[in-house]
C-alpha cells in the first residue's frame, strides 16, 4: 500500500518525474477546470492501466505503443463525450486539452513501466494514485492562481470588499500562462528544500 | 499578407511552448545542449508540417458533420467528429513510422541526426495539439493549415534552442541547491514566456 501512495508526494509525476506537464499548466487558471481535468486524467489512467494489464500477455511487444494509444484514446473519447454532454461549459474551457490526455506522458509512462508487467488490480491502483498525484498539483496551482488572480474560488468571491476598498488589487499576472510555470517551479523548490 | 500574419502569429504569439505548454516533456528532457535540441526542433517542425495538412484533409473530407456528402447525398447527415481523436493519433503514429522508414532509406545522414527523435515524436503533445488547434481554427484552405503548422514548428524550435542555450550557461551560475535542475528550468521558461507575452501587445 505504501508503494501505491508514493505518487502523491515522494514520487509525484509532475514535480519529481516531470511527466504530463503539458496539460497540467494550461488548465489551472481556475480551480474548476483544474479539478475536472484531474478527474479526467485519473479515470483514463486507472482504466487504461487496467485494460492493458488484462491483455498484457497477448500484446506483441513490437506494436505495443500502437495498442496502448488505441486503448488510451478509447477512454479519452468516452471522457470527452461525457464532458461535452454534462459539463459543456468546462469542456469548452478545456478545449483541446481533453484530447491531449492521449499524449499525456504520465499515462504512457505508467502503461510502459507498470501495467505491462503487473497484475490487473495493482495496475488499476497504480494508475489511480498516479492520477491523484497529478490532480493534487493541479488543484494546488489552480487554487493559488484563482484566488490571487481573480479573488474567487470555484467561481465564488472569497476576498471581502474591505480588502479592495483598502487598495488591494487582483494580480492579473496570475491568470497569464507563464505564471503557472513559475508556480510549479516554486513548488519544486519548496519540496526539495523540505526534503534536504 | 494574411498568410504572413498567420505565420508570425503562430511563431510568436500562439507559441506552442510559451502560450500552450505543448511538448513540455521533451522540451524539459532534451534541452541539455543546443545541438540535440536543434535536431529535435527540426524533427518536430518536419512532422508538424506533414501531419497537420494530412489531418486537415481527413477532417474536411471524412470527419466533419456532413463531410461525406461528396461520396453520395445519402451520407449528408453523418457526423463522424467523435472519431477525431483516435483517427488523428493513428494518422500521426502512421506518418511518423513512414517518415522514419523513408528517411532511413533515402538519407542515412539525416536519419542519424533525426532518427532517435522520431519515435519520441509520435507521443509528443505538440504534434497532436497542432492538429487539434488546426481543427479549432477552421482554416479555409489546405495551404493555410500548412503555414500554420510550419509556423508552430518554427516557434517550438525557437523556444527549445533558446532555452537550451540558457541552460548551457546556467551550469556556471550559482543557484540555490533545492532550486537546481527542474525548479529553475520551470521558472526560466515562465520568465521567457512573460517576455513572449509582450509580443501580444497589451
Amino acid at each position: 500500500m505504501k508503494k501505491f501512495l508514493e505518487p502523491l508526494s515522494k514520487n509525484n509525476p509532475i514535480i519529481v518525474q516531470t511527466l504530463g506537464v503539458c496539460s497540467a499548466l494550461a488548465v489551472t487558471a481556475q480551480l474548476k477546470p483544474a479539478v475536472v481535468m484531474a478527474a479526467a486524467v485519473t479515470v483514463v489512467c486507472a482504466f487504461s492501466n487496467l485494460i492493458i494489464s488484462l491483455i498484457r500477455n497477448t500484446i506483441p511487444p513490437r506494436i505495443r505503443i500502437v495498442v496502448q494509444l488505441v486503448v488510451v484514446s478509447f477512454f479519452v473519447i468516452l471522457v470527452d463525450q461525457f464532458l461535452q454532454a454534462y459539463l459543456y461549459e468546462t469542456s469548452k474551457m478545456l478545449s483541446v486539452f481533453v484530447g491531449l490526455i492521449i499524449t499525456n506522458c504520465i499515462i504512457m509512462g505508467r502503461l510502459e513501466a507498470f501495467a505491462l508487467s503487473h497484475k490487473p488490480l495493482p495496475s488499476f491502483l497504480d494508475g489511480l494514485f498516479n492520477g491523484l498525484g497529478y490532480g493534487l498539483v493541479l488543484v494546488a496551482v489552480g487554487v493559488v492562481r484563482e484566488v490571487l488572480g481573480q479573488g474567487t474560488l470555484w467561481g465564488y468571491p472569497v476576498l471581502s470588499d474591505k480588502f479592495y476598498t483598502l487598495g488591494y488589487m487582483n494580480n492579473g499576472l496570475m491568470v497569464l500562462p507563464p505564471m503557472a510555470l513559475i508556480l510549479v517551479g516554486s513548488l519544486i523548490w519548496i519540496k526539495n528544500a523540505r526534503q534536504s | 499578407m494574411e498568410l504572413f500574419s498567420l505565420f508570425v502569429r503562430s511563431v510568436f504569439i500562439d507559441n506552442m511552448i510559451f502560450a500552450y505548454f505543448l511538448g513540455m516533456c521533451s522540451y524539459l528532457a532534451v534541452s541539455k545542449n543546443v545541438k540535440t535540441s536543434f535536431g529535435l526542433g527540426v524533427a518536430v517542425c518536419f512532422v508538424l508540417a506533414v501531419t497537420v495538412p494530412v489531418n486537415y484533409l481527413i477532417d474536411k473530407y471524412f470527419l466533419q458533420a456532413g463531410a461525406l456528402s461528396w461520396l453520395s447525398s445519402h451520407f449528408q447527415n453523418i457526423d463522424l467528429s467523435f472519431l477525431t481523436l483516435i483517427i488523428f493519433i493513428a494518422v500521426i503514429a502512421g506518418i511518423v513510422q513512414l517518415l522514419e522508414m523513408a528517411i532511413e532509406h533515402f538519407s542515412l545522414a539525416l536519419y542519424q541526426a533525426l532518427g532517435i527523435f522520431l519515435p519520441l515524436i509520435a507521443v509528443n503533445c505538440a504534434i497532436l495539439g497542432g492538429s487539434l488547434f488546426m481543427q479549432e481554427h477552421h482554416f479555409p484552405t489546405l495551404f493555410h493549415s500548412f503555414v500554420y503548422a510550419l509556423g508552430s514548428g518554427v516557434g517550438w524550435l525557437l523556444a527549445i534552442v533558446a532555452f537550451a542555450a540558457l541552460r548551457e550557461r546556467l551550469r556556471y551560475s550559482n543557484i540555490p541547491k533545492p532550486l537546481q535542475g527542474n525548479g529553475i528550468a520551470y521558472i526560466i521558461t515562465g520568465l521567457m514566456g512573460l517576455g513572449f507575452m509582450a509580443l501580444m501587445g497589451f
Side-chain angles (χ1 to χ4, degrees), chain A residues 37-196:
Chain A
M37 185 70 185
V41 170
T42 308
V43 168
V44 173
C45 195
F47 282 98
S48 47
N49 252 9
L50 176 69
I51 298 287
I52 288 289
S53 171
L54 281 173
I55 59 172
R56 68 184 188 280
N57 294 326
T58 55
I59 307 174
R62 275 187 69 89
I63 59 157
R64 64 177 196 284
I65 301 275
V66 178
V67 176
Q68 288 165 8
L69 279 178
V70 171
V71 172
V72 175
S73 28
F74 170 73
F75 283 109
V76 172
I77 288 175
L78 284 186
V79 167
D80 189 28
Q81 298 286 320
F82 178 85
L83 289 182
Q84 279 182 23
Y86 294 102
L87 290 164
Y88 188 71
E89 293 294 311
T90 320
S91 127
K92 272 279 153 242
M93 227 189 278
L94 292 172
S95 74
V96 302
F97 291 99
V98 179
L100 286 174
I101 296 176
I102 297 179
T103 51
N104 192 317
C105 330
I106 295 175
I107 294 173
M108 295 298 280
R110 289 332 288 173
L111 292 177
E112 281 280 300
F114 201 91
L116 278 176
S117 53
H118 288 80
K119 289 209 169 70
L121 187 64
S123 301
F124 181 78
L125 287 176
D126 181 72
L128 191 71
F129 281 108
N130 271 287
L132 289 177
Y134 167 91
L136 210 63
V137 177
L138 251 70
V139 169
V141 177
V143 167
V144 173
R145 281 181 79 186
E146 193 175 347
V147 169
L148 293 182
Q150 298 173 323
T152 58
L153 199 59
W154 199 269
Y156 300 106
V158 285
L159 297 175
S160 72
D161 293 334
K162 277 189 188 143
F163 278 115
Y164 291 100
T165 47
L166 282 172
Y168 175 82
M169 269 163 74
N170 286 328
N171 184 355
L173 208 58
M174 277 292 170
V175 188
L176 297 178
M179 281 316 284
L181 285 163
I182 293 175
L183 279 178
V184 175
S186 318
L187 263 181
I188 296 177
W189 189 1
I190 293 168
K191 184 175 180 302
N192 286 345
R194 274 187 55 190
Q195 246 169 20
S196 57

Side-chain angles (χ1 to χ4, degrees), chain B residues 153-187:
Chain B
V154 171
W156 205 88
L157 171 74
L158 201 73
I160 194 171
V161 170
F163 180 60
L166 280 176
R167 248 186 150 175
E168 281 190 356
R169 283 299 173 93
L170 218 56
R171 234 172 279 154
Y172 307 108
S173 49
N174 191 10
I175 304 162
K177 193 123 198 307
L179 197 57
Q180 274 170 15
N182 278 324
I184 194 74
Y186 278 96
I187 292 178

Side-chain angles (χ1 to χ4, degrees), chain B:
Chain B
M1 197 56 214
E2 189 203 342
L3 286 170
F4 180 72
S5 68
L6 177 67
F7 183 77
V8 170
R9 199 184 157 78
S10 53
V11 174
F12 293 108
I13 299 169
D14 289 340
N15 187 291
M16 282 274 183
I17 287 193
F18 299 129
Y20 299 112
F21 315 108
L22 296 180
M24 281 297 285
C25 308
S26 34
Y27 169 85
L28 287 170
V30 183
S31 55
K32 295 279 184 326
N33 70 61
V34 173
K35 204 168 161 249
T36 43
S37 43
F38 187 77
L40 181 69
V42 172
V44 165
C45 262
F46 197 56
V47 174
L48 263 176
V50 177
T51 54
V52 171
V54 170
N55 279 334
Y56 176 82
L57 289 179
I58 290 178
D59 184 46
K60 192 163 182 186
Y61 292 109
F62 291 99
L63 296 175
Q64 275 173 18
L68 282 170
S69 55
W70 60 275
L71 270 177
S72 135
S73 54
H74 296 298
F75 296 144
Q76 234 162 27
N77 297 325
I78 295 181
D79 180 4
L80 292 178
S81 53
F82 68 93
L83 287 175
T84 304
L85 292 174
I86 202 160
I87 300 265
F88 277 9
I89 195 74
V91 166
I92 288 167
I95 288 181
V96 168
Q97 195 84 54
L98 274 180
L99 274 179
E100 198 184 343
M101 286 195 277
I103 293 176
E104 191 181 8
H105 191 77
F106 291 115
S107 158
L108 207 61
L110 190 62
Y111 180 71
Q112 273 155 359
L114 297 185
I116 39 168
F117 301 120
L118 280 175
L120 262 177
I121 280 178
V123 287
N124 186 327
C125 2
I127 308 292
L128 183 63
S131 286
L132 293 174
F133 276 122
M134 171 276 293
Q135 202 187 22
E136 285 210 335
H137 282 300
H138 301 291
F139 291 120
T141 69
L142 182 63
F143 194 63
H144 279 83
S145 72
F146 174 74
V147 170
Y148 170 74
L150 197 67
S152 305
V154 171
W156 205 88
L157 171 74
L158 201 73
I160 194 171
V161 170
F163 180 60
L166 280 176
R167 248 186 150 175
E168 281 190 356
R169 283 299 173 93
L170 218 56
R171 234 172 279 154
Y172 307 108
S173 49
N174 191 10
I175 304 162
K177 193 123 198 307
L179 197 57
Q180 274 170 15
N182 278 324
I184 194 74
Y186 278 96
I187 292 178
I188 285 182
T189 312
L191 293 176
M192 286 166 78
L194 283 177
F196 266 66
M197 295 240 99
L199 294 165
M200 250 185 210
F202 275 100

